[in-house]
Amino acid sequence: MGKGKQIEFIILPNGCKVCTSHARTKDGHVRIQRNGLKTYLHKLVYIQHYGDIPDGLVVRHKCDNPACFNINHLELGTHSDNVADRVARNRSAIGERNGRSKLKEEDVRFIRNATNISNSQLARMFGVDPKAIRNIKKFRTWKHVV
Ligand SMILES: [Zn+2]
């Protein structure tokens, strides 16, 4: 990876390699600096594997997790594919975008770290179903929060 801050990551059950050490953009991509150039982690990883990205194409996430840099989850696509994906994602309304969701990203982080509090207690604390707590802990929901 060359010089720069060490990349730390976790691997989710679905195989996503999610960076935990670097800042994210608003839409969840991992920003990284290499050789004085600012780029995205997933893009850098793709280029290191396959070489330069042809003009007009972008590196997309098959797994829909913008912080993921598992090479097997990346593919080339057009910018309009990306926009279509984003629209579809918003329509399916996950996480905070969901008007019915009572939880915020900071709550999700708290829940995942609260190993000494039972799921039913957590459910009461946040006013959600214990099943929702289990899904958060198992990364079935809120996959974009780490
Ligand atoms: Zn992935």
Side-chain angles (χ1 to χ4, degrees), residues 5-89:
K5 190 176 166 190
Q6 178 85 32
I7 292 164
E8 287 160 25
F9 60 91
I10 57 165
I11 296 180
L12 301 186
N14 72 350
C16 281
K17 268 170 90 169
V18 177
C19 178
T20 55
S21 53
H22 286 63
R24 307 275 190 89
T25 62
K26 224 196 225 169
D27 56 0
H29 291 106
V30 179
R31 235 195 254 286
I32 191 164
Q33 197 161 347
R34 281 296 177 269
N35 308 318
L37 284 174
K38 285 197 175 87
T39 184
Y40 294 114
L41 178 59
H42 65 287
K43 195 174 157 188
L44 185 75
V45 167
Y46 193 93
I47 291 169
Q48 282 173 342
H49 264 82
Y50 297 114
D52 281 338
I53 296 160
D55 276 351
L57 295 183
V58 294
V59 180
R60 309 172 66 229
H61 287 89
K62 288 187 260 189
C63 58
D64 211 24
N65 186 337
C68 172
F69 64 103
N70 179 340
I71 189 68
N72 299 317
H73 292 187
L74 302 176
E75 65 178 359
L76 284 182
T78 63
H79 180 66
S80 52
D81 288 337
N82 248 0
V83 171
D85 274 2
R86 208 169 304 141
V87 170
R89 261 204 302 281

